[in-house]
Amino acid sequence: MGFPGIMTDKDTAFQNEPSCRSDHDPRSLPVEAAWERIRTVIEPVHGTERVTVRQALGRVLAAPVQSSINVPAQDNAAMDGYALRGADIPAAGTQTLACVGTVLAGASFTRAMQPGECVRIMTGAPIPPGADTVVMQENVQCAGRQITIQAAETPGQNVRPAGEDLLQGDTVLMAGQRVGPAELGMLGSLGLVEVPVYRRVRVAFFSTGDELRIAGSTLEPGQIYDSNRYTLFAALQRLGVEATDMGVVADDPHVMEQAFTDAASFADAIITSGGVSVGEADFVKEIMGRLGEVAFWKIAMRPGRPLAFGTIGQARFFGLPGNPVSVVATWYQIVQPALRRLMGEDPQPPMTFRVRTANALRKRPGRTEFQRGVLSRDGDGELVVTTTGSQGSGILRSVSLANCFIVLPHDGGDVAAGSRVEVQPFEGVMG
Ligand code: AMP
Ligand code: MG
């Protein structure tokens, strides 16, 4: 098949092992505890580099950014209008002022303004010395070189003070902050050319399973196309790591050991899918016993209960369950935050909020469920969540149809239609 580590040899020794499918296990680890454990163990990669500001998009700052200038550099007009001295605003009635010039954005008016004078000013233009107020042009009566203003104006209004955005000397971005559109704009507004970021995190990933075939091949009975590598490729790409796709690895201890050894030789993290349920886990366990240290966790979540986490050499290892929806759930709830930590961030739990569910939801106590839902507005404009239907962990379409996770808490049971549930939207505003 042309990928390193791909084998079609059958290792049937574990195919008939019982699979761990009983749903409630008091020894399972709650999701939050798993997340917290991973978070405390993982530290940012060592190694930083300087990159140009545009290249910093999606990267994590390795040092705080201090502002070397005020942004804006000078007091400037927030409106098109007339700059004047606040003291010239009349206590009652109107006041006529002499217009002694014009100042456009990018220009400056250096003569100090005298009582009874004003200057025509455009948005963003620096406030002339002596002036402290801008009266918007719509509030002014203009006659030749004179304007008349009302008592209703307020001294100091419509002026953006120097440094109102970024103050010289302030820390404006923190180490560990991911650079998104707003941060990139801020770096731009400081006139910076380069910034220090953590080096790129290298992630190797592969799928395991004798039943898996790669795109372009023909399926024999019992075989399926590998989808998890595509899901993980996309997720890793979005996260901004350097991802290496190592293909499909057969359920064969020798092949698997080779794949792990190869991956550990260059990767900071290794992500696999499949082969971590009971029986298969023992098999991976045996390899891991030799290559590194790995804990096999039963996480009290659905989908996505079994998860292997540990180290192989320098590399962190995340062994995800094989079911495609379990891959999505364990990726978003556990692996992605862990990789963010490795990338230098201090990830926070995803934002959730409570909305009404349109449907009754089935749920067993003792595990956190990440059901898939569609957030929409009902006739009254109120947010409501609707289930995507069947929640089987092989139904990847349930994720594609959804725009949120419906997070049903560990201890809760069935949920009645109309009650409030926690939702986690898939997309942030500034993805
Ligand atoms: P496992 O965790 O290896 O027992 O796999 C659980 C289920 O997920 C089985 O039905 C597998 O066929 C399926 N599965 C495992 N890996 C993949 C994959 N890469 N793409 C699609 N389905 C998979
Ligand atoms: Mg498998």
Side-chain angles (χ1 to χ4, degrees), residues 388-425:
T388 56
S390 183
Q391 296 291 305
S393 55
I395 306 173
L396 194 52
R397 190 149 183 265
S398 67
V399 184
S400 168
L401 290 170
N403 59 14
C404 69
F405 281 121
I406 305 170
V407 187
L408 301 177
H410 188 93
D411 295 325
D414 290 344
V415 177
S419 48
R420 301 217 156 240
V421 290
E422 209 77 42
V423 293
Q424 246 178 35

Side-chain angles (χ1 to χ4, degrees), residues 56-79:
L57 180 64
R59 305 289 292 272
V60 179
L61 292 170
V65 174
Q66 256 111 25
S67 181
S68 56
I69 54 170
N70 282 322
V71 180
Q74 290 145 324
D75 294 354
N76 68 88
M79 295 268 188

Side-chain angles (χ1 to χ4, degrees), residues 27-359:
R27 290 166 304 168
S28 291
L29 193 62
V31 180
E32 297 77 15
W35 197 74
E36 205 45 49
R37 269 197 209 181
I38 287 180
R39 194 165 161 265
T40 50
V41 169
I42 292 186
E43 286 183 358
V45 288
H46 295 294
T48 62
E49 57 183 327
R50 292 187 72 81
V51 295
T52 64
V53 164
R54 279 194 172 87
Q55 286 171 338
L57 180 64
R59 305 289 292 272
V60 179
L61 292 170
V65 174
Q66 256 111 25
S67 181
S68 56
I69 54 170
N70 282 322
V71 180
Q74 290 145 324
D75 294 354
N76 68 88
M79 295 268 188
D80 292 341
Y82 294 84
L84 46 90
R85 301 163 69 258
D88 283 343
I89 297 170
T94 61
Q95 173 72 46
T96 299
L97 302 173
C99 190
V100 295
T102 299
V103 56
L104 307 177
S108 61
F109 188 91
T110 49
R111 181 170 77 67
M113 296 204 33
Q114 304 303 311
E117 290 183 343
C118 71
V119 164
R120 175 105 172 98
I121 194 165
M122 301 302 154
T123 304
I127 304 293
D132 56 16
T133 301
V134 172
V135 174
M136 61 194 285
Q137 59 191 23
E138 291 84 345
N139 290 357
V140 164
Q141 279 178 333
C142 210
R145 291 186 161 273
Q146 292 205 319
I147 65 162
T148 302
I149 59 170
Q150 310 283 325
E153 306 299 340
T154 310
Q157 74 192 358
N158 299 328
V159 172
R160 300 191 288 217
E164 78 163 358
D165 185 1
L166 310 176
L167 203 58
Q168 187 170 18
D170 271 5
T171 297
V172 293
L173 295 170
M174 308 286 198
Q177 205 164 344
R178 177 175 287 262
V179 178
E183 291 74 24
L184 205 68
M186 284 166 69
L187 295 171
S189 73
L190 292 173
L192 293 174
V193 177
E194 283 185 349
V195 284
V197 295
Y198 284 99
R199 73 162 171 82
R200 268 192 201 284
V201 166
R202 293 183 282 268
V203 181
F205 64 107
F206 57 84
S207 297
T208 72
D210 280 348
E211 74 281 26
L212 303 178
R213 287 294 168 270
I214 59 171
S217 53
T218 309
L219 294 184
E220 303 292 338
Q223 298 181 336
I224 55 171
Y225 289 117
D226 172 14
S227 65
N228 291 342
R229 266 186 316 127
Y230 289 81
T231 307
L232 286 173
F233 162 80
L236 290 164
Q237 203 75 15
R238 281 273 173 93
L239 189 59
V241 298
E242 205 175 283
T244 303
D245 182 346
M246 295 185 64
V248 176
V249 172
D251 289 326
D252 174 311
H254 303 295
V255 178
M256 211 174 265
E257 178 165 348
Q258 190 57 51
F260 279 125
T261 310
D262 286 352
S265 70
F266 68 89
D268 301 302
I270 303 168
I271 303 174
T272 65
S273 71
V276 288
S277 28
V278 167
E280 287 171 312
D282 293 337
F283 167 54
V284 177
K285 238 179 206 160
E286 182 239 319
I287 299 174
M288 288 303 160
R290 272 180 284 134
L291 297 183
E293 277 179 40
V294 171
F296 288 85
W297 290 348
K298 285 181 204 157
I299 301 189
M301 68 184 278
R302 183 188 168 93
R305 194 160 66 130
L307 183 93
F309 172 65
T311 53
I312 306 168
Q314 299 297 306
R316 297 291 179 184
F317 169 61
F318 303 90
L320 311 186
N323 278 308
V325 188
S326 305
V327 166
V328 173
T330 46
W331 164 266
Y332 281 105
Q333 305 305 326
I334 310 270
V335 182
Q336 195 217 50
L339 291 184
R340 283 180 178 275
R341 183 94 190 103
L342 208 55
M343 294 171 87
E345 280 185 274
D346 183 14
Q348 300 303 311
M351 181 86 76
T352 63
F353 53 88
R354 292 176 79 76
V355 299
R356 194 166 50 79
T357 170
N359 318 95

